[in-house]
Structures are given as C-alpha cells and as structure tokens.
Amino acid sequence: MEEKEIEKNDVSRSEGKDREDEGYEKVCYMCRRPESKTGPMISMPGGMNLCHDCMQKAFDSVMKNGMDLSQIPNMPYMNLNFNDLSQMPPKAEIPKKQKLKKSKEPQPQLTMKDIPAPHVIKEKLDAYVIGQEKAKKVMAVAVYNHYKRAFLGKEGSDSDDIVIEKSNILMIGPTGSGKTYLVKTLAKLLDVPLAIADATSLTEAGYIGDDIESVVSKLLAAAGNDVERAQKGIIFIDEIDKIAKKKQTNTRDVSGESVQQELLKLLEGSTVEVPVGSNQKNAMTPMATVNTDNILFICGGAFPDLEGIIKERLAKKSAMGFGAVLKDSFDHDPDILSHVTNEDLRTFGMIPEFLGRLPITVTLKGLDKDMMIRILQEPKNAILRQYEKLLALDEVKLVFEEDALEWIAEEAIRRGTGARALRAILEEFMLDIMYEIPKDPNIGSVVVTRPYLEKNGGPLVQMRG
C-alpha cells in the first residue's frame, strides 16, 4: 500500500510539473535555443530536452569515432530501463527564468477605447505625484500618442501611408524631484511591464560592464519572459547624464559617447538578440529576439551644472540700455531648466544623434517648502499615512502638528536631496517612537511636535480613557 501511495505522489508531482511547464517553451540543453527556433524537441528523463540538430551532431560524432554507446559514462540513457525511475540521474532542467513563454494566439486589435485619454492619465498621476503639472501633462500626451502608434499604427499606415514615428522622452530635473517615481507610477497605472536600468553600468560591447542589450533583457524579465508583452513595455534609463561625452580625455571613452552611439539603434527601433534570464551573453544562455520599435524609452538625469550652461547662453543675449535683460536676472530663477535647448545639452556632452531620438523633453522643478508639506500628506501612499497605518496596527493614533511638518520640510530643503530627504528625516525621529510605544499597551495617541524635532522636548503621549 505504501509503495502505491508513493507511486501516486510521484505521478501527481510529475503531472503538476507538466502543467506548470505548459506555458513555457522547451529549451535545448546543448545549444540553449528555444523550441520556437529549433522545432519539436526530444524530451529525455531528468527534464532534459534536445533539439534534432544537437541530437544529430551527437550521433554523427559518436558513429564517426566508432564508439560503443553503452560504454560512454555520460550517456546513461542508451541502456537505461525507463520503468526503473530510481536509476534516473539528477535533474538537469533549465530554470524557468531562462525559458521563454509560449507565444499566445493573436489577440483582437485594440481600439481607442482601450487606451486612456491624456486627461485620465493625468488625473490618476495627480493622486500619487504632487506638483510637476507641466511634466505630468507632457508625459500623459506622449504616452497616449505612443500607444496609439503601437496599437493602431498599422491601420493608419495602410489607409493613407502616414507612418507615425516614435516619441521617446528625455526627463531633466534635480535629484529627488520625482523622475523615477513618475515613471514607476505611470507604468503601474497603465499595467505595462517596466524596466529601470542605470546608465552608469553600461559600457561599449567587449568591455567589462553591462552591454546595451541588457536593458532590453531586464524588460523581458519584467514581462515574465513574454516577448509580445515586453515589446509594448517601458524602459527607463536613469542617470543618463553620466554617459555624456568626456572632455579632455586621452583614454577610450567606453562608458560615455560610445554608449550613446550604441543606444541609437534601440531608441529608434530595431530587432535585437537579448539573453534570457541573464545580463551577459554566452553559449549557455538562451537568446530571444525582441523588436524595440514599440517600446517606449524614457531617459532621465539630474544634469548637474546644466543650469550654468543655460544661464551662460541666456546672458549672451543681454544688451545695454533701458529694458535690457540683466546678466544676473536668471541667477534666482527656480524654473531655469525650462529654458533648456538641444544646444545646451550638446554643450553638456550629449551627441546630436542621441538627442534627435529623444524628441520630447520634460523638465521637473525643484521642490519648495509648500510642495514638501503636500508630499508628506496628500498622495495616496503619503509617508505620514504609512506611519499612521503602522501605529494603527498597535491601536495608537499618530498626529503631526503643523509646526512639525514645516520643520521637516525646511530640514529636507536644507539637506538638498529632494523628497528622499523626507523619508530619511522621519526614519530618524520616528525610531524612538516606534521602539517605545509597543512597550505600554495603555498608550492611545502620540503627537509629534516641533520641540521634539528640534530636540528640545519629547512627543506628547496620551493614555487611553
């Protein structure tokens, strides 16, 4: 009876494993090519699949040398009784993260009703992102037009031969102004796969570092190795200002201008071979073919010292006499980045071919005191709401006084790291509160005051009843 139960469990486990693998393509254990490229495969015990080409090469090599297959130690299947499962070797199966999902049946063409209008996208962004009204408006229109092109472009090209070109986006703004957060929120609202890559790790092909194709490989992983879904995703390349052309260098610029040159083909739209489940290409990694024509690329960077380049250009237009523009009139302009042109970015070190493939430029403003206070309170996942929920689990009410919020905003501006400073400040001052409150179950509420933040007192603690 016990043997029958063990056999039933083995059968049920194998059936469950087969159901899990139904949605993934088989990958050849030798050449690592998926079934969509090799054709039907031969499945061997132990989770090993071999394509016909590799199988034929193996037999040709063996027969050419006149070997006895039963004497080869690495060929246990030639004299194996397949009914005796105890003799099976350890599983040599390729992990799922290196397998591609099977291509689905063609879905019906999307209509305009399936694509959110720009005002709907902006309204959803307003619930999460405070301020940056112009940036949200530009992003909403750009994304709307991009997905119209991706889903409806073929219909338009067939009717009147008008081909809509890609509209990739360049985001410029100081650190902590919300560039990455805006893109993350946008991808979440649209329910599309998003990959965030760091331009500082990218190098020219052949050098130590990530190849350009690793950016698309991350998007493929974010889409669950589904090529069709990945081809309509969003790639956000952060720290794009770090690949600016180096000035006065005698060594090869493998992480600057050459990276910009290699990104051109991805930004414009091309078919590339990318590794599946890995950032590095090698003989043991399966490869997938991805078309980047309908992938939206968003490049973001802080571009330090760009303000100085803009001011210098604007100051050249100053003249003498009444009504002339003074040279120092732009020194205290909080929205100086909105005056940026391609000429300024070229002076910074970006090549013109790269800028030409990023036609939409979005500038974000630095955060002021009022915006900091709003960020603390208003978004759906505001930082204060997170702490209130944490203490509510201990049945304790958390309250911040207005003076305390103003002090936090002032301190964040002084630190100069944007909205990221708010979390750092709150973590520092909430540490003692989060540590001490659970000690006494009779505590009903805690009020954070300005004197506590200035280290001139403590928080107001009220007991229950």
Side-chain angles (χ1 to χ4, degrees), residues 33-188:
R33 290 183 299 166
E35 195 173 17
S36 57
K37 292 187 178 181
T38 63
M41 291 194 183
I42 301 169
S43 297
M44 309 284 281
M48 187 184 292
N49 300 301
L50 295 174
C51 67
H52 285 276
D53 293 340
C54 292
M55 227 20 202
Q56 188 64 47
K57 287 178 184 178
F59 278 113
D60 290 345
S61 177
V62 169
M63 298 306 293
K64 182 179 178 181
N65 297 324
M67 297 181 183
D68 183 1
L69 297 178
S70 63
Q71 301 301 319
I72 302 176
N74 293 326
M75 296 287 287
Y77 304 111
M78 298 304 169
N79 55 1
L80 175 67
N81 182 5
F82 289 99
N83 294 322
D84 189 3
L85 298 178
S86 63
Q87 294 184 21
M88 285 180 59
K91 286 195 174 183
E93 189 180 1
I94 295 173
K96 272 189 182 177
K97 70 175 184 177
Q98 291 188 351
K99 289 183 180 180
L100 288 174
K101 283 195 173 179
K102 290 182 180 178
S103 57
K104 302 175 183 176
E105 296 181 359
Q107 297 180 351
Q109 185 74 25
L110 293 179
T111 63
M112 289 293 296
K113 295 179 181 179
D114 299 313
I115 307 171
H119 70 279
V120 177
I121 297 174
K122 185 180 178 299
E123 285 176 4
K124 292 180 178 179
L125 288 174
D126 287 338
Y128 293 91
V129 182
I130 300 299
Q132 314 297 359
E133 296 300 320
K134 186 177 179 181
K136 288 187 288 189
K137 187 175 180 181
V138 173
M139 292 278 288
V141 172
V143 170
Y144 179 64
N145 288 338
H146 173 79
Y147 280 101
K148 275 200 295 187
R149 171 186 178 275
F151 296 134
L152 309 174
K154 292 183 180 179
E155 293 181 0
S157 61
D158 292 340
S159 59
D160 51 13
D161 295 330
I162 297 176
V163 179
I164 304 173
E165 296 183 356
K166 282 187 77 172
S167 297
N168 297 316
I169 304 171
L170 175 63
M171 299 179 71
I172 303 173
T175 180
S177 58
K179 298 184 294 295
T180 307
Y181 184 68
L182 191 59
V183 176
K184 280 184 177 179
T185 307
L186 191 63
K188 183 179 178 182

Side-chain angles (χ1 to χ4, degrees), residues 6 22 24 36 56 68 78 92 174 209 235 279-280 283 347 368 373 385 441 461:
I6 292 172
E22 280 181 1
Y24 292 89
S36 57
Q56 188 64 47
D68 183 1
M78 298 304 169
I235 291 179
N279 288 339
Q280 300 294 333
T347 305
D368 56 20
I373 295 175
R385 293 186 183 182
V461 178

Side-chain angles (χ1 to χ4, degrees), residues 385-417:
R385 293 186 183 182
Q386 296 177 32
Y387 279 105
E388 288 172 359
K389 187 172 182 179
L390 284 172
L391 283 177
L393 295 175
D394 292 327
E395 298 181 354
V396 177
K397 183 180 179 181
L398 178 65
V399 180
F400 280 81
E401 291 185 345
E402 290 295 329
D403 291 342
L405 296 178
E406 290 183 3
W407 186 92
I408 294 171
E410 292 167 0
E411 177 66 14
I413 292 173
R414 189 185 66 79
R415 295 191 181 187
T417 54

Side-chain angles (χ1 to χ4, degrees), residues 29 223 225 261 292 298 413 417 446:
Y29 189 73
N225 291 350
Q261 295 281 2
T292 66
I298 304 176
I413 292 173
T417 54
V446 178

Side-chain angles (χ1 to χ4, degrees), residues 299-328:
C299 300
F303 288 88
D305 302 327
L306 184 60
E307 294 93 337
I309 295 173
I310 297 172
K311 290 175 185 176
E312 185 179 349
R313 176 179 57 82
L314 295 174
K316 289 179 182 178
K317 298 179 181 179
S318 61
M320 297 179 64
F322 296 105
V325 179
L326 300 177
K327 286 188 176 182
D328 60 349

